[in-house]
Amino acid sequence: AKHVPKAKGILIISAHWQSRELQLSCTGRHEIAYDFFGFPSELNTLDYRAKQSQELTELIEKQLKVKKLTYSLKQRALDHGAWSVLKLAYAEANIPVAALSLPSYTQMRDYFKLGEQLKELRSSGILIIASGSATHNLSLLDKHNRHQAWAHDFSHWLQKNVAENNYQ
């Protein structure tokens, strides 16, 4: 957080909240979900008391409507892909936070288009955070912390293609 300008609000999109169509979290104080298992029990005692202001909700809704994006409001706790990142970056929880689901698109170009449609929020002081990992398969996690060759290879391939703007 200390490396980016202070935001007026945060829109977080976690890979752990997927939906058929866009869903935006509701105004108010966010609960947090302990939607994981097999980790130290101390993680289940962490708290993050983020709030979503009416002003932030209205700003995001205005942008979604201008871009003719279909969405619904959803009362939902912040998942660990959202609150764990926010707690590390903004421990004080003093910036309004809204969460947006990751829609189930079948084409990569639709995700690029969504990013283009949301990026105008940045000019209003909204920080957009996309949280997730290039590879995430806990059933294949090596408990001895050895790197999986397939994960390393894919991550390297992905970074190379993004660096070269090779989105096809």
Side-chain angles (χ1 to χ4, degrees):
K2 64 184 173 186
H3 299 290
V4 297
K6 184 171 181 182
K8 293 179 184 174
I10 298 171
L11 177 62
I12 188 153
I13 304 167
S14 164
H16 290 278
W17 183 15
Q18 296 180 0
S19 60
R20 176 165 287 179
E21 292 183 348
L22 282 175
Q23 294 180 339
L24 176 64
S25 58
C26 295
T27 298
R29 183 175 294 278
H30 293 293
E31 297 295 322
I32 63 171
Y34 301 100
D35 53 338
F36 48 74
F37 59 92
F39 293 97
S41 60
E42 294 82 15
L43 289 176
N44 291 312
T45 63
L46 293 177
D47 199 12
Y48 190 72
R49 306 311 306 175
K51 292 181 186 176
Q52 182 171 330
S53 68
Q54 184 65 35
E55 179 183 3
L56 179 59
T57 302
E58 289 172 0
L59 183 66
I60 295 168
E61 284 189 294
K62 180 181 174 186
Q63 182 66 20
L64 295 173
K65 288 174 184 174
V66 164
K67 296 300 181 177
K68 296 180 175 47
L69 291 167
T70 302
Y71 71 96
S72 60
L73 291 173
K74 173 89 171 164
Q75 187 71 41
R76 186 178 188 279
L78 293 176
D79 61 66
H80 75 277
W83 68 261
S84 63
V85 171
L86 292 167
K87 184 166 182 67
L88 290 172
Y90 298 97
E92 304 83 24
N94 58 359
I95 299 173
V97 173
L100 189 68
S101 67
L102 185 63
S104 301
Y105 296 145
T106 57
Q107 300 294 318
M108 182 61 74
R109 69 177 172 268
D110 293 328
Y111 291 105
F112 282 107
K113 183 178 177 185
L114 177 61
E116 289 291 323
Q117 292 168 315
L118 294 174
K119 79 176 182 180
E120 292 175 29
L121 290 168
R122 298 185 308 183
S123 64
S124 299
I126 306 305
L127 174 63
I128 301 171
I129 299 175
S131 167
S133 184
T135 60
H136 189 296
N137 190 333
L138 292 178
S139 66
L140 296 177
L141 185 67
D142 185 321
K143 297 192 187 320
H144 302 291
N145 206 23
R146 293 179 299 231
H147 294 285
Q148 297 290 324
W150 64 267
H152 179 269
D153 293 348
F154 177 72
S155 184
H156 178 74
W157 172 88
L158 182 62
Q159 290 174 22
K160 176 182 179 293
N161 281 282
V162 169
E164 293 172 359
N165 292 320
N166 181 11
Y167 301 121
Q168 295 303 322

